[in-house]
Amino acid sequence: MKFGRHTLLWILGGVVLGALTGGTFPAAGGKVGFLGEVFLNFLTMLAVPLVVTSMIVGVTNLGDLRKLGRMGWQTIAYYMATTGISVAIGIILVNMIRPGEGLTAVAQGQVQRGEFSLAQVVVGFVPKNIFKAMAETKILPLIVFSLLFGGALSATGGRGRIVVEFFRGANEALMKLVGLVMYFAPLGVFGLVAERLGKAGGWEEFGPELGKVLNYSLTVLVGLTLHGVVVLPFILWAVGRRNVSSYASNLSPALATAFSTASSSATLPVTIECVVRRNEVSEEVAGFVLPLGATINMDGTALYEAVAAIFISQVYNIPLSPVQQIVVFITATLASIGAAGIPQAGLVTMVMVLKAVDLPLEGIAMLLSVDWFLDRFRTTVNVWGDSVGSAVLERLRSGEVEDEVS
Ligand code: ASP
């Protein structure tokens, strides 16, 4: 099911109207929040089964396990490369703008002192119980299970065919549901944006909060804009060979959903719908690349983590040597891979970056009041990055198929 131009405009209108309502009448924002919750519930309801079915369909469509292996490595290499570019942009900007200079650290809230280590991330890949992972909307272990299961199904030959058909049918039905849910999206995004801005006290209260760390916020936003509007579109055009404006406009429902939910995982059903149905990327590529991207490819998050860490070093007047900045580069990349596709997950994994270069964790407190706001922008870039990735990997794969044929 394709939704027309009007639906797109309605969705974007919902975001704008939500910002106006919540910003001007914070109390009204709380009253319409239930609309957002209904939308979010629908999306999360679809995301879990969709990850399983789209991954299994993707993997079994690829057929040969060697092809899957090749695509897996290409996807991971591509994601790492684009995340690396994004972090580099952040590090260069924060060193140029130096938003933390002249600020004094003031604790503005409680810092979550969660432990976060790489070992934990790796253990988290393997589900102990797939139903528990589903119940807790843990996407990464579900991806691992679906990949293995899809691979095993391909290896069974004829016997597994009926199971593959089952998942294909289920996947199609779920996609139809996503199409239906999108009709509710304008109201949903309206409710989500209005409620969040209302909770922050509208423009009147949030404005001054933003003002306190304005330069930091601007550094993050300029970095995200450079990556999202210059780097990724260039890759889409040069490597993916796509018309950037039509690809982006077809994707706008997913981008607006990412902005209003601040969750790559909740947005996943809409991302798949826009990439497969509207931008005509094949199911086998999108089914594999997008769920993986929603959890491990977070260009926006990586950029923000690097900027935030170096900002904290500037505020506390702890200069970082070039080697330490390289450590920030590496750990911010890893922390973005480890962050779940849920609101403000980056804030938790940032502990890893700060610890790696011995920066005070208290520094995070300064960023808390604006984090929900920046989260929306970085999640939008995260989803855009995944979607550009699917066009690029589709192109690489079709190049290989052509080579095989000739
Ligand atoms: N909210 C982001 C996402 O879902 C993660 C983060 O940066 O906190 O993509």
Side-chain angles (χ1 to χ4, degrees):
M1 187 180 309
K2 284 197 177 187
F3 27 86
R5 282 237 159 262
H6 283 116
T7 324
L8 307 186
L9 291 177
W10 276 105
I11 295 175
L12 297 180
V15 174
V16 175
L17 209 64
L20 289 175
T21 309
T24 332
F25 311 106
K31 299 227 162 60
V32 294
F34 77 97
L35 292 171
E37 214 177 316
V38 171
F39 182 52
L40 202 58
N41 283 356
F42 266 134
L43 290 179
T44 321
M45 166 188 100
L46 293 171
V48 169
L50 248 185
V51 167
V52 178
T53 59
S54 65
M55 262 295 177
I56 292 176
V57 169
V59 170
T60 48
N61 272 1
L62 279 172
D64 190 340
L65 286 183
R66 265 170 314 178
K67 280 191 195 155
L68 173 66
R70 187 161 354 122
M71 175 127 123
W73 285 119
Q74 279 179 342
T75 308
I76 290 171
Y78 170 82
Y79 279 161
M80 294 289 276
T82 47
T83 305
I85 296 174
S86 177
V87 182
I89 293 176
I91 293 184
I92 293 171
L93 278 179
V94 73
N95 278 298
M96 273 166 53
I97 301 175
R98 312 197 70 79
E101 258 175 18
L103 287 184
T104 34
V106 268
Q108 292 181 323
Q110 276 296 314
V111 179
Q112 248 180 309
R113 278 185 174 272
E115 280 296 314
F116 176 79
S117 70
L118 207 58
Q120 258 176 304
V121 177
V122 177
V123 173
F125 280 3
V126 187
K128 206 196 255 170
N129 178 331
I130 48 165
F131 298 103
K132 190 158 178 263
M134 286 187 196
E136 292 172 353
T137 331
K138 292 216 163 111
I139 304 288
L140 209 53
L142 280 184
I143 290 180
V144 172
F145 170 77
S146 313
L147 261 178
L148 294 174
F149 190 69
L153 270 180
S154 304
T156 56
R159 282 217 175 149
R161 205 170 296 141
I162 186 167
V163 186
V164 175
E165 276 311 308
F166 165 80
F167 281 108
R168 202 163 280 157
N171 190 52
E172 228 159 82
L174 286 165
M175 288 312 294
K176 287 214 184 312
L177 284 179
V178 177
L180 271 183
V181 167
M182 284 321 283
Y183 286 106
F184 186 68
L187 278 179
V189 298
F190 164 74
L192 284 167
V193 174
E195 188 195 27
R196 193 58 192 85
L197 199 53
K199 208 161 120 194
W203 300 121
E204 219 168 282
E205 280 181 40
F206 179 61
E209 286 298 330
L210 189 63
K212 283 185 203 157
V213 278
L214 188 64
N215 285 348
Y216 156 74
S217 308
L218 285 178
T219 312
V220 173
L221 292 178
V222 170
L224 292 177
T225 310
L226 277 178
H227 191 69
V229 177
V230 181
V231 175
L232 289 175
F234 177 75
I235 295 175
L236 182 63
W237 169 77
V239 192
R241 309 267 176 88
R242 293 287 189 138
N243 176 324
V244 175
S245 63
S246 73
Y247 197 86
S249 105
N250 284 337
L251 206 73
S252 55
L255 300 179
T257 307
F259 185 83
S260 40
T261 59
S263 166
S264 306
S265 299
T267 309
L268 186 60
V270 190
T271 320
I272 297 180
E273 161 86 22
C274 292
V275 168
V276 175
R277 303 270 186 269
R278 295 172 61 83
N279 277 324
E280 291 168 359
V281 172
S282 67
E283 258 179 2
E284 58 261 38
V285 173
F288 178 80
V289 172
L290 289 176
L292 201 62
T295 44
I296 69 163
N297 181 45
M298 297 195 182
D299 295 2
T301 303
L303 183 147
Y304 134 88
E305 302 223 8
V307 171
I310 297 177
F311 168 75
I312 290 172
S313 83
Q314 293 169 350
V315 173
Y316 284 85
N317 214 353
I318 309 172
L320 295 181
S321 67
V323 174
Q324 281 175 311
Q325 302 230 10
I326 293 173
V327 173
V328 170
F329 176 88
I330 296 169
T331 49
T333 307
L334 294 176
S336 74
I337 295 173
I342 55 173
Q344 297 190 287
L347 204 60
V348 181
T349 61
M350 197 162 39
V351 172
M352 178 177 143
V353 186
L354 297 180
K355 276 195 173 162
V357 283
D358 277 333
L359 288 171
L361 298 187
E362 287 73 25
I364 298 180
M366 300 185 61
L367 316 174
L368 288 181
S369 61
V370 292
D371 195 70
W372 68 268
F373 178 70
L374 296 178
D375 191 13
R376 278 144 210 269
F377 292 93
R378 62 184 193 250
T379 309
T380 309
V381 173
N382 291 346
V383 168
W384 175 225
D386 302 338
S387 310
V388 169
S390 32
V392 168
L393 284 146
E394 167 96 333
R395 176 78 214 160
L396 293 179
R397 202 178 74 98
S398 62
E400 272 163 17
V401 174
E402 273 162 29
D403 285 350
E404 270 169 30
V405 173
S406 57

